[in-house]
Amino acid sequence: MSKILDMVHIPKDLKVLSRKELQQLCREIREQMIVRLGAAGGHVGSNLAVIEATVALHYVFNSPSDKLVFDVSHQCYTHKLLTGRKAAYLDPARFYSVSGFTNPEESEHDIFSIGHTSTAISLACGLAKGRDLRGETNRVIAVVGDGSLSGGEAFEGLNHAATLGSNLIIVINDNDMSIAENHGGLYRNLRLLRETNGKADCNFFRALGFDYLFVRDGNDFNEIADALESVKDTDHPVVVHMCTVKGKGYRYAEEERESWHYMGPFDIATGKPLHGAVPTKTYEGLTSRFLADRMRKDPTVTAITAGTPKVLGFEAELRQQFPTQFVDVGIAEGHAVAFSSGIAKNGGKPVFGLSSSFLQRAYDQLSQDLALNRSPAVILVFFAGISQGSQTHMGVFDIPLAMSIPNLIYLAPTCKEEYLRMLEWAMDQNESPVMIRVPGIETVSRNAELLRDYARPARYEIAVHGTDVAILALGKFFHLGSKVREKLETEYGIHATLINPRYITDVDEKTLRALPEYGHRLVVTLEDGVTDGGFGEKIAGFYGNSPMKVLSFGARKEFVNHVTVEEQYNRYHLTANQIISDVIEALSSK
Amino acid sequence: MSKILDMVHIPKDLKVLSRKELQQLCREIREQMIVRLGAAGGHVGSNLAVIEATVALHYVFNSPSDKLVFDVSHQCYTHKLLTGRKAAYLDPARFYSVSGFTNPEESEHDIFSIGHTSTAISLACGLAKGRDLRGETNRVIAVVGDGSLSGGEAFEGLNHAATLGSNLIIVINDNDMSIAENHGGLYRNLRLLRETNGKADCNFFRALGFDYLFVRDGNDFNEIADALESVKDTDHPVVVHMCTVKGKGYRYAEEERESWHYMGPFDIATGKPLHGAVPTKTYEGLTSRFLADRMRKDPTVTAITAGTPKVLGFEAELRQQFPTQFVDVGIAEGHAVAFSSGIAKNGGKPVFGLSSSFLQRAYDQLSQDLALNRSPAVILVFFAGISQGSQTHMGVFDIPLAMSIPNLIYLAPTCKEEYLRMLEWAMDQNESPVMIRVPGIETVSRNAELLRDYARPARYEIAVHGTDVAILALGKFFHLGSKVREKLETEYGIHATLINPRYITDVDEKTLRALPEYGHRLVVTLEDGVTDGGFGEKIAGFYGNSPMKVLSFGARKEFVNHVTVEEQYNRYHLTANQIISDVIEALSSK
């Protein structure tokens, strides 16, 4: 069956194939890709869309001397399959031997480790400049999805790339979808260009100074291969605007493009997920229900996403109920923060939700547009903490990121009751920008002591009064702290104090000052984030000029790629037993 | 002479004036503005360019119910003059009574405190959305310079604003200049539009879906007033593309637009600076001489700026000597970092220099595009530390910002010899992205112990061996530390150890572990930055589980607007006497 695929291992193998064989190869790859996606899950839509284009890229260009950069790089499966990593797509035993993003540690054909959107044009522009400085002649190609174009970095890259004056080919893979539907004025122009076969006078890319080539059907191997051949040796920057179909060749993925952007393992015949048991009681669901209720009661409440509406729990159906109150600004986290600040300044009630990993795309806006102006917008940070995900999507940097921004209150609820109370307060107050660190995926309940308001100064919750040791267990890690406390009591007879700090950015000086007075000589901090610049260091700094000892637990400062949470907990001494052993040692030393 | 100006105090006063009187008012304002700029300095070019437009805006619209947002807001002088703050522009005794940027604490006509570029469209978009949610009808106007359009946030804002579906007027103030000349493909389109009186088919703003109006001469009051009248009550987003002359009406400023972007006090007749003694031995000059020398010897070396070439010491003449090796990417710090990463990955030697305050616009790129990929690019951070500047341009956040990014080495030289050695090493190595914190404006020499290489692990310099107290004095503050040490010795007989940590991001565990062994019981950290998430907290964290006391000195986490450095030092206990008094107290307490 897969006889062409059998002959292809590295890009060079493509050069000897006929166009007919190459087309056959695309069919074989698609068939096999669907099998592999069904078994292992992954980014279904984008990878099925770019099979022909990827085969054409490797047929026309000479990787790795020619440099291919994939934006987000979640669409790199065919690229990996063609560059020495075929087994990872054919052999079920090796399906997990490669990551879902380009990774230089895997292959010289992967130039960058990439996972955030909108970066490829800038990176490719740099590769081209490096080449020019060295007087070399290799070609540089960036492959960028339409959804990525709304991000500011993509525009900054386009604006500069247009003036580069040497070979740079930017393939815009336009499947008329971001993760969800596209939002923004640019997408009207892409539509106009699609509808006019690229012939409309008003052309975003030409306006920026690019040479421009339209490819009507990027899933037609010959068409995209011919287009790439024609621009291959250009001496100036060219945009190849290629239309593809997201999920091409797999019915369910073509029909339900948002759901099939990313999918866990599924049954190919029915499209049904194989591991059906997704948690039903999630913080996303809780959030969207809470916000929808608020939005119905108060027309000034608005929920905002930067291209990831489901992170905030807003499925398509729910979004449609709020055509003006639910706003997707496109993948543009910086704008979303500034936009939220503007709404709050003019009497609206904005709640912007995003993943921890993408918060870092909005540092300047958090500081200047939001915090400096004390705009009472609410930002919900999802997927924060140690996870098994890609090194490009880690959730451990948001605490240090927020720590040094004045005026900003960052709260860490420990359970759903506290989360909702904090969210309610944040939306009702008019004094401060407030961020809330959503405590995990599945909701957890506890009898937390809730405050009427969470304005400054910080007031920590003393959940259990004890002595000797005080455990400051932040957010989700409150439960770890609780376990440590119990074990210290039952196994060592140590009656530790357990504290829920509630505030990430703030020290409750009164409580901390009282701890030595009540016989504590060791403070333990637990945070689900990198310790450098984090909460524990702040507490250590507070006690720096006192005999109080401080032991801080959290993640090490390192990029971590698909390591199990368990292994990371072990590595960072974040299991109850390791913490207890460190505590006992600290108590017994001088 | 100034009889129209005498009648104008608030925007309402404009409404009763005839067009002729309004034109006369513009002339009077310009005349007075030049007097005020000569006496007090300021952003000369942009403020002289927008006098007619600002008078027209306040004549046509009704601030503060209509909302005016100025991008960067460095061009707000006429706006301030017209909104109750006239004395600050007429009365020499009150010239310093207002800041150079919009500030809500000064007036309800200033909606945001703004100082970074490219934010106004996003903020205005939020104001418009807030208005729509509340069912109000006030108008929203953003005034944006052409130079600001290269920043990603401006594009993210434009992309979203185009779909807003309600009143939003974006005035593009096109004076064909950024701080220096413009760079990027977009500027070719602006030129095309200027050359065709806005009639070119290929129109960047129309491509994004905006209605578009061209104003040939934005320094012609009638023309800009008529244009604004015509779009005033638009029910959809409109771009008013207005051409102005930077420095309009003041000969020297029109002729030398880059030099006159910002100017200290000057003699109006000659255009000569009044306070001639600018430092000649600066780190900028040192840097540009060093880099130019390197660039001549090695064609792969490239110096990069994001719209502020003079920060890196590259005056126009020097830039012209390196047409390919000096790159201005436009105001686009995120792209500049990613671009540098790409260059480094393809064999070039990029050195990107920028102000501390703007580093925060590139956090995600520092983390993902640069550090994750271990690209050996060099980033020079200028104007770091406590300053008397605006709250929008503070230089105290770069240390915590860099602290939690893996793989990134951030170095703090104490003098020019160490700075050059670190820069040399950073450019010669191929392992790590390296940032260097430029230690001030004027160069300082000392006999620092230089390392052959500054790779990890960190090795602190023990400049003076002592006992009891160890002073870890970072970068520029080494000299403060040295003063403290001397005074401790001469006045208290305490022989303190003085350490130059060299590394901001890294702990020298060996040296720190040895300190208690050599009889130290107190460590003092001095850093010219905000302490939250900074160097001192890291050191306190290191010693958390030991009897070593740590006293950390640095800036408090707060936005500070034009407070003298001396006053801030006093406020933060950063004078030698205050530090010594705190040290003595700490040594004598338990």
Side-chain angles (χ1 to χ4, degrees):
Chain A
M1 174 68 199
S2 293
K3 50 187 177 182
I4 308 290
L5 189 48
D6 287 344
M7 297 188 292
V8 174
H9 303 278
I10 55 172
K12 216 175 55 179
D13 300 334
L14 299 174
K15 309 282 180 179
V16 298
L17 298 178
S18 70
R19 286 291 182 107
K20 218 166 181 160
E21 288 169 323
L22 289 160
Q23 289 171 314
Q24 174 60 22
L25 175 65
C26 292
R27 283 189 290 271
E28 291 174 12
I29 291 174
R30 179 164 284 112
E31 196 174 323
Q32 180 57 31
M33 198 61 81
I34 292 170
V35 170
R36 201 262 198 182
L37 285 163
H43 281 101
V44 178
S46 56
N47 277 292
L48 292 178
V50 296
I51 291 172
E52 288 77 13
T54 309
V55 174
L57 284 164
H58 281 293
Y59 172 66
V60 170
F61 295 97
N62 301 309
S63 175
S65 76
D66 291 341
K67 311 289 181 198
L68 282 169
V69 186
F70 292 90
D71 203 277
V72 196
S73 83
H74 63 314
Q75 77 288 56
C76 66
Y77 299 0
T78 297
H79 162 76
K80 289 199 175 189
L81 184 153
L82 295 173
T83 51
R85 289 164 282 182
K86 192 165 70 173
Y89 297 86
L90 268 62
D91 175 2
R94 303 190 59 182
F95 281 171
Y96 294 96
S97 66
V98 296
S99 81
F101 300 93
T102 55
N103 185 347
E105 285 172 23
E106 287 178 15
S107 166
E108 59 178 347
H109 295 275
D110 294 8
I111 310 179
F112 297 102
S113 184
I114 299 181
H116 285 194
T117 64
S118 316
T119 70
I121 299 165
S122 288
L123 293 169
C125 200
L127 292 176
K129 183 73 190 175
R131 171 201 61 200
D132 297 346
L133 289 168
R134 288 190 299 113
E136 301 278 326
T137 58
N138 61 281
R139 297 127 184 151
V140 177
I141 308 98
V143 180
V144 186
D146 51 326
S148 284
L149 291 175
S150 55
E153 189 179 349
F155 173 74
E156 292 181 352
L158 281 173
N159 186 46
H160 181 214
T163 64
L164 193 68
S166 60
N167 177 283
L168 176 63
I169 296 153
I170 299 169
V171 178
I172 303 294
N173 170 33
D174 182 1
N175 56 33
D176 193 21
M177 275 296 274
S178 184
I179 297 169
E181 69 283 357
N182 281 312
H183 292 272
L186 170 64
Y187 298 102
R188 294 185 194 163
N189 192 245
L190 293 189
R191 191 185 315 135
L192 174 70
L193 291 170
R194 287 195 303 272
E195 288 169 358
T196 59
N197 274 327
K199 294 197 172 65
D201 285 324
C202 201
N203 178 317
F204 173 76
F205 303 105
R206 284 195 194 278
L208 288 174
F210 285 97
D211 206 350
Y212 173 86
L213 190 68
F214 182 76
V215 175
R216 198 189 44 80
D217 185 358
N219 293 116
D220 178 327
F221 177 81
N222 280 331
E223 198 178 335
I224 179 63
D226 290 345
L228 294 174
E229 278 287 4
S230 76
V231 299
K232 179 180 176 179
D233 288 314
T234 176
D235 62 359
H236 57 270
V238 179
V239 164
V240 176
H241 179 191
M242 160 184 90
C243 306
T244 62
V245 174
K246 199 164 182 176
K248 176 75 177 183
Y250 184 59
R251 197 184 104 198
Y252 301 109
E254 285 195 37
E255 282 170 3
E256 294 256 19
R257 296 183 299 168
E258 184 180 350
S259 314
W260 286 87
H261 173 77
Y262 183 92
M263 187 62 88
F266 57 90
D267 176 66
I268 294 166
T270 63
K272 299 276 179 239
L274 284 181
H275 313 302
V278 279
T280 50
K281 294 191 170 174
T282 65
Y283 282 103
E284 294 106 277
L286 189 70
T287 305
S288 60
R289 284 192 301 279
F290 176 86
L291 288 178
D293 184 53
R294 276 290 190 114
M295 285 152 84
R296 282 185 199 103
K297 287 174 186 157
D298 179 353
T300 70
V301 173
T302 174
I304 297 161
T305 182
T308 57
K310 287 187 179 180
V311 167
L312 203 52
F314 277 77
E315 304 281 335
E317 200 191 344
L318 188 57
R319 304 202 291 267
Q320 282 152 19
Q321 291 179 34
F322 300 98
T324 59
Q325 284 175 273
F326 186 86
V327 183
D328 185 342
V329 301
I331 300 178
E333 294 82 2
H335 166 69
V337 169
F339 177 64
S340 299
S341 174
I343 293 173
K345 276 282 175 206
N346 211 2
K349 288 280 172 199
V351 179
F352 171 40
L354 81 171
S355 297
S356 163
S357 180
F358 302 138
L359 184 70
Q360 60 196 54
R361 298 163 65 108
Y363 180 95
D364 192 50
Q365 291 78 17
L366 287 170
S367 170
Q368 294 286 309
D369 298 330
L370 188 73
L372 173 61
N373 286 288
R374 297 184 185 273
S375 296
V378 182
I379 297 177
L380 304 178
V381 181
F382 290 84
F383 308 133
I386 293 164
S387 75
Q388 202 187 326
S390 165
Q391 59 189 345
T392 52
H393 289 76
M394 294 170 65
V396 295
F397 300 113
D398 55 296
I399 292 177
L401 187 145
M403 204 56 103
S404 62
I405 300 178
N407 300 348
L408 181 69
I409 297 177
Y410 195 12
L411 298 173
T414 59
C415 61
K416 71 175 186 179
E417 294 79 9
E418 195 172 28
Y419 170 62
L420 287 177
R421 183 69 204 100
M422 286 173 171
L423 177 52
E424 233 174 346
W425 167 78
M427 291 177 68
D428 289 341
Q429 57 86 41
N430 288 302
E431 306 303 318
S432 293
V434 176
M435 299 213 304
I436 303 176
R437 197 176 208 232
V438 179
I441 309 287
E442 280 188 78
T443 59
V444 171
S445 275
R446 83 171 180 97
N447 193 14
E449 183 199 318
L450 306 179
L451 292 180
R452 197 178 55 79
D453 82 82
Y454 290 86
R456 295 195 155 109
R459 286 141 293 152
Y460 293 177
E461 177 196 354
I462 303 179
V464 181
H465 286 266
T467 186
D468 290 316
V469 182
I471 304 165
L472 272 62
L474 199 63
K476 201 172 74 175
F477 272 10
F478 179 83
H479 309 283
L480 174 62
S482 181
K483 204 165 150 189
V484 168
R485 196 209 64 80
E486 278 167 32
K487 278 186 162 238
L488 277 173
E489 177 147 341
T490 54
E491 294 175 18
Y492 294 88
I494 296 169
H495 300 279
T497 293
L498 177 63
I499 293 176
N500 161 23
R502 292 182 180 130
Y503 298 75
I504 296 172
T505 34
D506 289 78
V507 164
D508 174 351
E509 300 194 2
K510 205 172 139 193
T511 298
L512 292 191
R513 283 221 185 82
L515 288 179
E517 292 165 24
Y518 287 91
H520 297 84
R521 52 200 174 103
L522 174 66
V523 166
V524 174
T525 68
L526 306 179
E527 69 195 291
D528 196 4
V530 74
T531 51
D532 297 68
F535 178 76
E537 288 187 356
K538 177 178 291 302
I539 301 300
F542 178 85
Y543 285 120
N545 188 24
S546 87
M548 179 70 86
K549 284 190 177 182
V550 179
L551 266 185
S552 292
F553 296 85
R556 197 186 302 155
K557 179 167 79 169
E558 61 180 351
F559 289 112
V560 179
N561 208 23
H562 299 298
V563 175
T564 63
V565 171
E566 201 188 340
E567 193 178 327
Q568 290 182 71
Y569 281 7
N570 268 306
R571 186 187 293 177
Y572 306 140
H573 271 222
L574 282 169
T575 66
N577 286 339
Q578 288 169 309
I579 294 166
I580 286 167
S581 142
D582 291 351
V583 165
I584 298 301
E585 194 188 320
L587 287 176
S588 60
S589 76
K590 272 257 164 165
Chain B
M1 174 71 196
S2 292
K3 51 186 180 188
I4 309 289
L5 188 48
D6 287 345
M7 298 187 293
V8 174
H9 304 278
I10 55 171
K12 217 175 55 181
D13 300 333
L14 299 174
K15 310 282 180 180
V16 298
L17 298 179
S18 70
R19 286 291 180 106
K20 219 168 181 157
E21 290 169 321
L22 288 161
Q23 289 169 313
Q24 174 61 21
L25 175 66
C26 292
R27 283 189 290 271
E28 292 174 11
I29 290 175
R30 177 165 284 110
E31 195 173 327
Q32 179 57 31
M33 197 61 78
I34 292 170
V35 170
R36 202 263 198 185
L37 284 164
H43 281 100
V44 179
S46 56
N47 277 294
L48 293 178
V50 297
I51 291 171
E52 288 77 13
T54 309
V55 174
L57 283 163
H58 280 294
Y59 172 65
V60 172
F61 295 98
N62 302 308
S63 176
S65 79
D66 291 342
K67 310 289 179 199
L68 282 170
V69 187
F70 291 91
D71 203 276
V72 195
S73 84
H74 62 314
Q75 78 287 59
C76 66
Y77 299 1
T78 297
H79 163 76
K80 289 199 175 187
L81 184 153
L82 295 173
T83 51
R85 289 164 280 182
K86 193 167 66 173
Y89 297 85
L90 270 63
D91 175 2
R94 303 191 58 182
F95 280 171
Y96 295 96
S97 66
V98 297
S99 80
F101 301 93
T102 55
N103 185 349
E105 285 171 24
E106 287 178 14
S107 165
E108 59 178 346
H109 295 275
D110 294 7
I111 310 178
F112 297 102
S113 183
I114 297 181
H116 284 195
T117 64
S118 317
T119 69
I121 299 165
S122 288
L123 293 169
C125 199
L127 292 176
K129 183 73 190 178
R131 169 201 64 198
D132 297 345
L133 289 167
R134 288 190 299 113
E136 301 280 327
T137 58
N138 62 281
R139 297 126 184 152
V140 177
I141 308 98
V143 180
V144 187
D146 51 326
S148 284
L149 290 176
S150 56
E153 188 178 349
F155 174 75
E156 292 180 354
L158 281 173
N159 186 45
H160 181 214
T163 65
L164 193 69
S166 61
N167 178 282
L168 177 62
I169 297 154
I170 299 169
V171 178
I172 303 294
N173 170 32
D174 182 1
N175 56 32
D176 193 20
M177 275 296 274
S178 185
I179 297 169
E181 69 284 358
N182 280 312
H183 291 273
L186 170 64
Y187 298 102
R188 296 186 191 161
N189 192 245
L190 293 189
R191 190 185 317 136
L192 175 71
L193 292 170
R194 288 195 302 272
E195 288 169 359
T196 59
N197 273 327
K199 292 195 172 66
D201 286 324
C202 201
N203 177 317
F204 174 76
F205 304 105
R206 285 196 195 277
L208 288 174
F210 285 97
D211 207 349
Y212 173 87
L213 191 67
F214 182 76
V215 176
R216 197 188 44 80
D217 185 358
N219 293 115
D220 177 327
F221 177 82
N222 280 331
E223 198 179 335
I224 180 62
D226 290 345
L228 293 174
E229 279 286 5
S230 75
V231 299
K232 180 179 177 180
D233 288 314
T234 176
D235 62 359
H236 57 270
V238 179
V239 164
V240 177
H241 178 192
M242 161 184 91
C243 307
T244 62
V245 174
K246 199 163 181 177
K248 177 76 179 181
Y250 183 60
R251 198 184 101 198
Y252 301 109
E254 284 195 38
E255 281 168 5
E256 294 254 19
R257 296 183 298 168
E258 185 179 349
S259 315
W260 287 87
H261 173 77
Y262 183 92
M263 188 63 88
F266 57 89
D267 177 66
I268 293 167
T270 64
K272 299 277 177 234
L274 284 181
H275 313 301
V278 279
T280 50
K281 295 190 171 178
T282 64
Y283 281 103
E284 295 107 275
L286 189 69
T287 305
S288 60
R289 283 192 303 278
F290 176 85
L291 288 178
D293 184 53
R294 276 291 189 115
M295 285 152 84
R296 283 186 199 104
K297 288 176 186 156
D298 179 353
T300 69
V301 172
T302 175
I304 298 160
T305 182
T308 56
K310 287 188 180 180
V311 167
L312 202 54
F314 277 76
E315 304 281 336
E317 200 191 341
L318 188 58
R319 304 201 291 269
Q320 282 152 18
Q321 291 179 34
F322 300 99
T324 58
Q325 284 175 273
F326 186 85
V327 183
D328 185 342
V329 301
I331 300 178
E333 294 81 3
H335 166 69
V337 168
F339 177 62
S340 300
S341 175
I343 292 172
K345 275 283 174 205
N346 212 2
K349 289 279 172 200
V351 179
F352 171 41
L354 80 173
S355 296
S356 164
S357 180
F358 302 137
L359 183 71
Q360 60 196 54
R361 298 161 66 107
Y363 181 95
D364 193 49
Q365 291 78 17
L366 287 171
S367 170
Q368 294 286 309
D369 297 330
L370 189 73
L372 174 60
N373 286 287
R374 296 183 186 273
S375 297
V378 181
I379 298 177
L380 303 178
V381 181
F382 289 84
F383 307 134
I386 293 164
S387 75
Q388 201 187 325
S390 165
Q391 59 188 345
T392 52
H393 289 75
M394 293 170 67
V396 295
F397 300 113
D398 54 297
I399 292 178
L401 188 144
M403 205 54 106
S404 64
I405 300 178
N407 301 348
L408 182 69
I409 297 176
Y410 195 12
L411 298 173
T414 58
C415 61
K416 71 174 184 178
E417 294 79 9
E418 194 171 30
Y419 171 60
L420 288 178
R421 181 71 204 100
M422 286 172 170
L423 177 50
E424 232 173 348
W425 167 79
M427 290 177 71
D428 288 341
Q429 56 87 40
N430 287 301
E431 308 302 318
S432 293
V434 176
M435 298 211 307
I436 304 176
R437 198 174 206 236
V438 179
I441 309 289
E442 282 188 75
T443 59
V444 171
S445 276
R446 83 172 179 97
N447 192 14
E449 181 199 320
L450 306 179
L451 292 180
R452 198 178 54 80
D453 82 84
Y454 291 85
R456 296 198 153 107
R459 283 142 294 151
Y460 293 176
E461 176 196 355
I462 304 181
V464 181
H465 286 266
T467 185
D468 289 318
V469 182
I471 304 165
L472 272 62
L474 200 62
K476 200 172 73 176
F477 272 10
F478 179 83
H479 309 283
L480 174 62
S482 181
K483 202 164 151 190
V484 168
R485 195 208 66 80
E486 278 165 33
K487 279 187 161 236
L488 277 174
E489 179 149 336
T490 55
E491 295 176 17
Y492 294 89
I494 295 170
H495 300 279
T497 294
L498 177 63
I499 293 177
N500 161 24
R502 293 182 179 129
Y503 298 75
I504 296 173
T505 35
D506 289 79
V507 164
D508 174 352
E509 301 196 0
K510 207 173 138 193
T511 298
L512 293 191
R513 282 220 186 83
L515 289 178
E517 292 164 25
Y518 287 90
H520 296 84
R521 53 203 173 99
L522 174 65
V523 165
V524 173
T525 68
L526 307 179
E527 68 196 293
D528 195 5
V530 74
T531 51
D532 296 67
F535 178 77
E537 287 188 356
K538 177 179 292 300
I539 301 300
F542 178 85
Y543 285 119
N545 187 25
S546 87
M548 179 70 84
K549 283 188 177 184
V550 179
L551 265 186
S552 293
F553 295 86
R556 198 186 298 153
K557 180 168 79 171
E558 60 180 352
F559 289 111
V560 178
N561 208 23
H562 299 298
V563 175
T564 63
V565 171
E566 200 188 340
E567 191 177 328
Q568 289 182 71
Y569 281 7
N570 269 307
R571 188 188 290 177
Y572 306 141
H573 272 222
L574 282 170
T575 66
N577 286 339
Q578 288 170 311
I579 294 167
I580 287 167
S581 141
D582 291 351
V583 164
I584 299 299
E585 194 188 321
L587 286 175
S588 60
S589 76
K590 271 258 165 171

